[in-house]
């Protein structure tokens, strides 16, 4: 996917078409995310994703969840945190359920989808400056992203055996 200047801006990944032909809604992987993946593969042989360790409602159920919390959908900008994993980067940074993450590295975020994409650009060990809304207060904190824990070798063997059996 290129812009009108011929610069690469994304990699086409899928198309949603009602006719089966090459028309409809196209989906692409942003080039900055693809570049991180390529760099990780060259450097490590695998993709290394930094993990923040928060949960939030899925985009499909977010409005319904916010209504249940007594929040008017569209009244908040950011990602509403529903859970924080123990020992995670978020827990170390003091993030709590109910916080709304509104910014990363001095850039505002509008949604949980944007939060996920921004965190995916980073690697384990990267520091992020987060801006949170907790009640009526704005809190700034710094977190150091953690690495995704590798599955134990036994689990890998069991999973591989289960896949082979299918």
């Amino acid at each position: 996917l290129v812009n009108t200047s011929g610069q690469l801006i994304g990699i086409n990944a899928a198309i949603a078409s009602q006719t089966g032909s090459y028309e409809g809604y196209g989906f692409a992987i942003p080039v900055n995310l693809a570049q991180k993946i390529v760099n990780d593969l060259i450097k490590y042989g695998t993709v290394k994703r930094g993990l923040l360790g928060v949960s939030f409602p899925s985009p499909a159920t977010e409005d319904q969840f916010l209504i249940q919390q007594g929040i008017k959908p569209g009244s908040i900008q950011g990602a509403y945190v529903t859970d924080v994993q123990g020992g995670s980067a978020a827990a170390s940074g003091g993030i709590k359920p109910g916080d709304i993450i509104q910014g990363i590295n001095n850039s505002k975020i509008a949604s949980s989808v944007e939060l996920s994409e921004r965190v995916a650009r980073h690697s384990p060990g990267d520091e992020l400056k987060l801006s949170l809304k907790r009640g009526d207060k704005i809190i700034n904190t710094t977190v150091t992203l953690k690495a995704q824990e590798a599955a134990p070798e036994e689990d890998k063997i069991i999973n591989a055996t289960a896949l082979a059996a299918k």
Side-chain angles (χ1 to χ4, degrees), residues 117-131:
E117 193 271 327
R118 294 268 184 97
V119 172
R121 295 180 190 178
H122 296 278
S123 299
D126 288 354
E127 284 190 354
L128 299 179
K129 294 178 186 176
L130 300 179
S131 175

Side-chain angles (χ1 to χ4, degrees), residues 1-104:
L1 180 64
V2 296
N3 64 15
T4 56
S5 299
Q7 297 169 313
L8 179 67
I9 61 170
I11 298 172
N12 294 328
I15 189 166
S17 172
Q18 296 200 1
T19 63
S21 64
Y22 298 105
E23 61 185 38
Y25 293 103
F27 299 92
I29 300 165
V31 70
N32 54 357
L33 187 55
Q35 186 62 54
K36 184 205 177 297
I37 292 167
V38 169
N39 290 341
D40 281 0
L41 290 173
I42 291 169
K43 189 172 182 179
Y44 307 112
T46 186
V47 178
K48 303 274 186 174
R49 287 192 64 177
L51 296 179
L52 183 57
V54 296
S55 299
F56 39 80
S58 71
T61 62
E62 187 170 27
D63 286 353
Q64 190 176 18
F65 176 83
L66 291 175
I67 290 168
Q68 289 173 348
Q69 302 303 310
I71 300 170
K72 181 181 174 188
S75 67
I76 64 168
Q77 291 292 308
Y80 186 95
V81 177
T82 59
D83 192 29
V84 177
Q85 296 171 354
S88 68
S92 298
I95 298 172
K96 298 179 179 179
D99 287 348
I100 300 168
I101 301 175
Q102 296 186 313
I104 296 177

Side-chain angles (χ1 to χ4, degrees), residues 140-155:
N140 294 305
T141 186
T142 301
V143 298
T144 302
L145 297 178
K146 306 265 179 148
Q148 185 173 8
E149 293 182 21
E153 284 301 315
E154 283 181 18
D155 289 347

